[in-house]
């Protein structure tokens, strides 16, 4: 059945449905009257007949908590603004009005929540509750005031649900806890229940396919479908009509409230109820099951009639349409053909235009025979032939014919192209005038209208070709120059350099012959060939080359050497300058030559000559670069020669260096030996001093001791002369002992072997001791020694300090004839560790000049010649004192003198010898514990 | 009556010189040339004081001093040491061995007796 036919079949069915629907709608409207509840209505202000008990209860309970089902539309539901609305809510408004109770809604919209809350008596009244026996344990019920029909709702595309029986095996959305659920499941055990919390959720599940149908109160279903625009849902059937009622459920312990509300409900008039019903339920319209059967029967009958009519109509229409289609096809074919012809014509014109406009010569050959079938206008221009002539020409007529541009070669190219390969190559072509020119040829196979053709395009590339050749040559030349420069830069030996340059010019650049000659400074001013490469064949032997200014010296090489300028001979065959060598040169294929002078320090020492074999000769750029290269070559030769000089200098230097090293080594050896000898001497010196300290002093002591007791006449009287002699022995002995002692001490100090031995002592005692020792020397002179010493305990090397002080006192006594010597002690500094002691020895002696002061502390300095009886002394006293003060006592000796008036010598030293220095000294001593005295 | 003094010294020249000085000072000198000899003489003679050379062959002065001091009878005899040189810790070493005091060589015969007296007096103070 075709599509239009199907539509024709359904049309009357739809009309029929619409008709039947209208009929049943009117019927449903009449049925609505059955649900009018029985109420007692009173006119005007309604008075409810209440018992005294009920009245008194009311006065005690002005506020009652009420629970509305938030998802029980249209009876009670949460509006979009969050308030409870619906039929039950409207009824409660009337009840509130009539009883004077204020109903406070509970904030639990879900049935199961509010039901549980009611059982716990968290709410006093449930607005809508089915009256069931099991609920009476918690609640007291009023009369029913809501009468509900149950209906089945399904999706529009589910067409096979038309009654409760069809629910078997289906998923049905059911509101958990609603009173219809249990009986339904008991009756249809194969139903797959999909439990939800509200009727809206039930409808939603059906709408989205989670359930196939929902069992829902009719009013609620209507209301929700419209409100939420669940357009894909449809009413399938009424399941139970008005079977379900709702009453007000009142908490079980408040039966008085139940009876009050019951009376209040009864007081609502029929009219009021209708009004409220209309507002929330609208007219009740549902298709009953029995009417649906009739409808299907009628629809089928009418459908069959309509099918027959439609079938006839279609048949006649098909016939007519076939005739029309044929006619149309013919017409279209005709138009198509004309169009194709026009297109072909256009294409041909377009092709011809393009073909002729192209700037390449284009040939169309027959792929099998090679015959030229067509050429474009450019071909005629390029080959300077009329089209017909070209069409009858052969490839060879259009080629230069020089190998490899022969007919055979052309055929070969054609064959390859005919095999399907694109061929691109360069070809030497020839036009009608015999002009040969280069073309780039492009050959490809094409199938044109079923025939195999070869399309050949040829483009003249003469100028391009020439430029390319130039470029190639220039590139090659650059490479050559580059190589030459490399050779020059890396050259080690001059002859090698010349050979390499000549060879490179031939192998890399393709010159025919090159040679380098040096100018001889002999009588004939000949040019001596130094290096050569290329095609020579005895050329140089055949000619006498000179740079003398005469006939044979006027050739390019001679001229170049003589003038220092490059000489270019562009054409050997015609250049008169080249006449003497022309024959030999031409015999060897030289066509042009250039001679380039080799110049070093403004002096021409030779020339590089180059001969080419091709008629192009040298171009300007080439000449310029060759000149540059030759300059580099000259420079390279020069630097090689310098390098040779430098090398010899370097080798000489190297020899010097080696010699120096030898010298240094020798000197080092000598020094080491000397050092060794010095160490040995030092050791011997130490040994000598050690010996002196004991072996020398012992006999001296005997000399001094025995001479002194003799002189003192202990062993009997001696005469005056004997006494004098004994005195000389005694003094000489004492002098020698003092000298030895001083030398030993100095040696010790200088060798760092004198150790400081700090002890604590009283300064005054030390000064007295020093005075006692020194004043022995006063003899019979009138010298008074006084002391001004503070009470001070010192901690330093007592023995050495005593030695120093005795030295100063001895000096003072020595140089003072008469007067007084004063010893003054001064302590400065507050902190004990930093206290400084000054022991000044003032004398009224001869004094010291400034120039003498400068040499005062030098060894063996005596202000008077030794042996002078007036001023005995070793000349080491002050030197040693200074040394001991600085090295051992961490102090110094100061001198202040006025000649003729006297001197002040000062020992300046720390009261306490610094510990660190002491320790350091101790360490040093322990290192070298070979004190000579031991 | 002359006081006996003991000089222990191996160097004969020095012994001779010091003997002159002591005799001049009114002492009778008993001489010993070695440590062992000196110790015996000290115990036997019980001198007024002893001059002890420290550098002696064989038993040295320090050892001799210790032995003399070890004899109960000679515990308080002044022993004055003679040293050839001052060495580190000399004084402590000498005093520890039992010397009363010391002087250094070379001796000055003209002043030696005074020096000895000074040492003994210092000690007896």
């Amino acid at each position: 059945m075709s599509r239009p036919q199907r539509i024709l079949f359904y049309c009357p069915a739809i009309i029929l449905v619409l008709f039947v629907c209208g009929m049943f709608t009117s019927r449903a409207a009449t049925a609505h009257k059955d649900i009018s509840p029985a109420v007692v209505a009173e006119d005007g202000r309604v008075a409810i007949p209440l018992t005294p008990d009920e009245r008194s209860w009311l006065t005690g309970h002005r506020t009652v908590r009420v629970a509305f089902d938030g998802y029980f539309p249209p009876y009670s539901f949460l509006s979009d603004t969050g308030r409870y609305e619906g039929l039950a809510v409207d009824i409660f408004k009337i009840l509130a009005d009539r009883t004077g109770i204020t109903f406070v809604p509970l904030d639990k919209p879900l049935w199961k929540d509010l039901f549980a809350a009611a059982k716990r008596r968290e709410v006093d009244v449930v607005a809508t509750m089915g009256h069931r026996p099991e609920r009476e344990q918690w609640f007291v019920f009023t009369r029913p005031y809501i009468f509900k029909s149950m209906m089945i709702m399904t999706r529009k595309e589910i067409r096979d649900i038309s009654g409760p029986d069809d629910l078997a095996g289906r998923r049905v959305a059911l509101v958990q806890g609603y009173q219809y659920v249990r009986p339904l499941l008991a009756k249809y055990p194969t139903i797959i229940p999909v439990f939800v919390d509200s009727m809206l959720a039930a409808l939603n599940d059906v709408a989205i396919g989670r359930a196939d149908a929902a069992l829902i109160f009719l009013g609620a279903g209507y209301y929700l479908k419209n409100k939420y625009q669940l357009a894909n849902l449809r009413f399938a059937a009424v399941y139970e009509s008005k079977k379900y009622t709702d009453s007000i459920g009142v908490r079980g312990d408040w039966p008085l409230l139940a009876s009050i509300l019951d009376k209040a409900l009864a007081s609502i008039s029929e009219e009021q109820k209708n009004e409220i019903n209309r507002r929330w339920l609208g007219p009740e319209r549902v298709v009953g099951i029995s009417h649906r059967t009739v409808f299907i029967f009628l629809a089928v009958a009418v459908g069959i009639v309509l099918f027959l009519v439609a079938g006839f109509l279609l048949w006649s229409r098909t016939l007519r349409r076939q005739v029309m289609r044929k006619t149309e096809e013919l017409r279209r074919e005709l138009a198509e053909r004309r169009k194709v012809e026009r297109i072909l014509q256009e294409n041909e014109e377009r092709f011809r235009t393009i073909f002729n406009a192209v700037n390449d010569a284009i040939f169309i050959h027959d792929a099998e025979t090679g015959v030229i079938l067509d050429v474009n206008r450019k071909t005629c221009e390029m080959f300077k032939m009329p089209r017909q002539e070209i069409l009858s020409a052969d490839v060879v007529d259009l080629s230069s014919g020089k190998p490899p541009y022969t007919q055979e070669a052309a055929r070969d190219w054609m064959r390859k192209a005919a095999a399907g390969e694109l061929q691109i190559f360069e070809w030497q072509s020839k036009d009608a005038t015999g002009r040969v020119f280069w073309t780039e040829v492009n050959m490809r196979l094409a199938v044109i209208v079923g025939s195999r053709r070869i399309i050949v395009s040829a483009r003249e590339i003469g100028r391009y070709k020439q430029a390319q050749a130039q470029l190639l040559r220039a590139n090659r030349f650059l490479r050559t120059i580059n190589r030459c420069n490399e050779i020059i830069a890396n050259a080690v030996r001059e002859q090698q350099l010349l050979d390499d340059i000549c060879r490179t010019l031939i192998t890399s650049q393709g010159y025919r012959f090159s040679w380098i000659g040096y100018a001889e400074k002999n009588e004939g001013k000949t040019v001596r060939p130094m290096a050569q490469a290329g095609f020579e064949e005895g050329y140089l032997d055949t000619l006498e080359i000179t740079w003398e200014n005469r006939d044979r010296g006027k050739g390019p090489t001679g001229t170049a050497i003589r003038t220092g300028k490059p000489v270019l001979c562009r054409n050997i065959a015609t250049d008169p300058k080249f006449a003497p060598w022309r024959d030999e040169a031409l015999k060897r294929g030289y066509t042009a030559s250039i001679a380039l002078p080799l110049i070093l320090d403004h002096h021409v020492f030779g020339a590089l000559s180059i001969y080419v074999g091709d008629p192009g000769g040298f171009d300007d750029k080439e000449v310029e670069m060759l000149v540059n290269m030759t300059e580099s070559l000259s420079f390279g030769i020069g630097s090689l020669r310098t390098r040779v000089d430098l090398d010899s200098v370097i080798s000489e230097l190297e020899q010097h260096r080696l010699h120096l090293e030898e010298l240094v080594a020798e000197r080092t050896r000598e020094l080491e030996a000397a050092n060794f000898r010095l160490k040995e001497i030092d050791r011997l010196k130490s040994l000598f001093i050690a010996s002196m300290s004991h072996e020398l002093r012992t006999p001296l002591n005997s000399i001094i001791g025995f001479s002194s007791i003799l002189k003192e006449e202990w062993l009997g009287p001696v005469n005056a002369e004997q006494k004098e002699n004994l005195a000389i022995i005694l003094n000489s002995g004492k002098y020698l002992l003092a000298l030895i002692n001083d030398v030993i001490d100095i040696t010790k100090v200088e060798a760092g072997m004198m150790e400081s031995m700090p002890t604590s002592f009283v300064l005054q005692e030390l000064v007295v001791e020093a005075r006692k020792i020194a004043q022995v020397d006063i003899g019979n002179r009138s010298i008074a020694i006084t002391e001004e010493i503070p009470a001070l305990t010192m901690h330093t090397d007592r023995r050495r300090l005593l030695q120093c002080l005795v030295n100063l006192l001895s000096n003072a006594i020595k140089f003072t004839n008469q007067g007084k010597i004063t010893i003054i002690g001064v302590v400065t500094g507050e902190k004990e560790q930093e206290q400084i002691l000054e022991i000044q020895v003032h004398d009224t002696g001869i004094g010291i000049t400034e120039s003498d002061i400068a040499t005062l502390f030098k060894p063996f300095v005596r202000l008077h010649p030794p042996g002078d009886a007036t001023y005995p002394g070793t000349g080491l006293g002050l030197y040693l004192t200074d040394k001991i003060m600085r090295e051992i006592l961490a102090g110094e000796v100061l001198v202040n003198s006025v000649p003729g008036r006297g001197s002040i010598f000062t020992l300046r030293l720390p009261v306490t010898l610094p510990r660190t220095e002491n320790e350091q000294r101790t360490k040093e001593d322990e290192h070298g514990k070979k004190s000579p005295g031991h | 009556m002359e006081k006996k003094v003991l000089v222990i010294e191996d160097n004969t020249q020095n012994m001779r010189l010091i003997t002159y000085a002591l005799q001049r000072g009114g002492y009778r000198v008993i001489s010993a040339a070695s440590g062992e000899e000196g110790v015996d003489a000290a115990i036997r003679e019980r001198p007024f004081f002893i001059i002890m050379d420290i550098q002696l062959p064989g038993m040295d002065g320090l050892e001799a001093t210790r032995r003399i001091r070890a004899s109960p009878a000679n515990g308080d005899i002044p022993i004055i040491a003679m040293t050839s040189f001052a060495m580190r810790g000399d004084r402590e070493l000498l005093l520890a061995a039992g010397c009363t005091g010391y002087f250094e060589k070379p001796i000055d015969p003209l002043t030696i007796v005074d020096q000895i007296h000074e040492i003994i007096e210092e000690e007896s103070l």
Side-chain angles (χ1 to χ4, degrees), chain A residues 694 697-698 701-702 705-706 708-709 712-715 737 755-757 772 799 922 925 929 933-934, chain B residues 11 13-14 16-17 20-21 24 55 84-89 92 104-110 118:
Chain A
H694 195 71
R697 279 192 290 189
T698 307
N701 287 333
S702 291
F706 286 105
S708 67
I709 63 171
E712 289 301 313
E713 298 179 318
W714 283 11
L715 305 173
L737 184 64
E755 42 191 313
S756 70
M757 292 180 293
K772 279 183 182 170
R799 181 189 157 94
T922 305
D925 284 347
K929 199 148 192 148
H934 295 194
Chain B
N11 185 311
Q13 289 182 18
N14 214 33
R16 194 180 170 93
L17 197 60
Y20 278 132
R24 178 114 182 135
Q55 280 190 307
S84 308
F85 51 89
M87 57 184 234
R88 194 180 176 80
E92 287 71 28
E104 284 181 28
K105 289 181 182 177
I107 60 159
D108 184 348
L110 308 186
E118 256 177 50

Side-chain angles (χ1 to χ4, degrees), chain A residues 507-703:
Chain A
T507 57
S508 180
Q509 186 60 19
Y511 292 132
R512 202 154 173 81
F513 173 52
S514 70
W515 68 285
I516 293 169
Y518 281 3
E520 299 268 33
K521 288 182 177 171
N522 52 16
E523 207 175 307
K525 295 193 175 179
T526 51
V527 177
R528 178 159 57 98
M530 297 295 293
Q532 64 182 70
F535 189 79
E536 193 254 354
E537 299 283 305
Y539 177 69
L540 293 178
D541 294 336
T542 64
L543 43 102
E544 178 203 341
I545 305 168
T546 175
W547 52 284
E548 210 179 354
N549 194 3
R550 60 179 174 96
D551 284 354
R552 291 216 148 233
K554 283 183 177 168
T557 303
T559 309
I561 292 175
R562 207 169 48 251
T563 61
K565 290 194 167 59
V567 177
L568 178 64
C569 175
R570 287 195 187 276
N571 195 340
I572 286 174
T574 57
D575 196 325
K577 290 198 297 287
F578 216 90
W581 311 279
R582 181 176 296 152
D583 289 346
E584 293 294 329
L586 290 177
K587 214 188 276 178
R588 288 167 178 82
Y590 310 155
T591 56
S593 81
I594 188 167
L596 302 145
L598 297 166
I599 306 170
L600 204 56
D601 295 333
H602 309 291
H603 170 72
V604 185
F605 66 93
L608 164 65
S609 298
I610 302 167
Y611 302 80
V612 287
D614 83 72
F618 302 92
D619 66 32
D620 293 346
K621 199 74 196 163
E622 203 172 336
V623 170
E624 189 189 323
M625 290 176 88
L626 280 172
V627 167
N628 285 341
M629 192 276 286
T630 311
E631 278 170 15
S632 297
L633 176 61
S634 301
F635 181 78
I637 291 167
S639 59
L640 271 183
R641 288 177 182 177
T642 314
R643 203 182 298 170
V644 170
D645 293 347
L646 203 63
D647 283 350
S648 66
V649 170
I650 287 171
S651 86
E652 205 172 313
L653 272 176
E654 180 67 9
Q655 277 181 354
H656 275 294
R657 194 179 65 78
L658 287 173
H659 183 60
L660 269 177
E661 278 178 4
E662 269 172 37
L663 276 178
V664 168
E666 196 180 321
R667 290 282 179 280
T668 306
R669 278 195 300 276
E670 283 172 10
L671 282 172
E672 275 171 358
N675 199 25
F676 180 78
R677 280 197 299 277
L678 280 174
K679 277 183 182 164
E680 180 63 15
I681 286 167
D682 199 46
R683 199 182 63 80
L684 287 173
K685 191 181 104 179
S686 295
L687 196 67
F688 168 72
I689 290 164
S691 303
M692 281 234 293
S693 80
H694 195 71
E695 304 304 325
L696 227 68
R697 279 192 290 189
T698 307
L700 259 179
N701 287 333
S702 291
I703 291 168

Side-chain angles (χ1 to χ4, degrees), chain A residues 151-153 161 164 166-175 180-181 184-185 188 190-196 202 205-206 210-216:
Chain A
M151 63 168 216
I152 298 165
M153 210 165 205
I161 294 179
D166 297 332
L167 294 178
R170 298 272 191 176
R171 293 169 302 158
V172 180
L174 304 169
V175 183
Y180 64 81
V181 173
L184 175 78
L185 291 178
Y188 302 103
T190 55
I191 284 178
I192 302 161
V194 177
F195 288 111
V196 293
D205 276 7
V206 175
R210 199 180 287 155
D212 301 317
L215 225 58
I216 193 163

Side-chain angles (χ1 to χ4, degrees), chain A residues 397-441:
Chain A
D397 301 327
L398 307 172
S399 304
S400 74
K402 293 178 194 166
Y405 311 110
T406 58
Q407 189 163 22
E408 291 74 42
R411 292 241 167 92
D412 199 40
W413 286 114
M414 204 80 87
R415 252 195 313 280
K416 283 192 221 162
E421 284 176 60
L422 169 66
Q423 303 297 326
I424 300 172
F425 54 92
E426 284 172 12
W427 194 255
Q428 219 170 47
S429 303
K430 188 178 73 181
D431 66 10
T433 67
R435 182 183 74 101
V436 171
F437 58 97
W438 283 99
T439 49
E440 186 190 80
V441 179

Side-chain angles (χ1 to χ4, degrees), chain A residues 1 48 238 362 624 652 669 674 728 766 808:
Chain A
M1 198 189 281
I48 308 167
V238 171
I362 297 178
E624 189 189 323
E652 205 172 313
R669 278 195 300 276
I728 291 170
L766 176 120
L808 292 192

Side-chain angles (χ1 to χ4, degrees), chain A residues 250-303:
Chain A
V250 181
R251 52 190 281 187
D253 55 340
W254 285 3
L256 282 174
L257 177 60
S259 91
I260 293 164
L261 292 176
D262 190 62
K263 286 176 180 171
L265 280 173
S267 73
I268 299 171
S269 69
E270 197 69 22
E271 210 171 312
Q272 275 179 306
K273 282 185 187 170
N274 281 342
E275 190 194 325
I276 291 170
N277 277 342
R278 257 198 309 281
R279 187 190 305 162
W280 293 108
L281 301 175
E284 226 174 294
R285 305 154 294 174
V286 157
V287 179
I289 298 165
S290 56
H291 307 300
R292 186 182 162 88
T293 315
V294 173
F295 153 71
I296 291 171
F297 182 78
L298 276 173
V300 171
V302 174

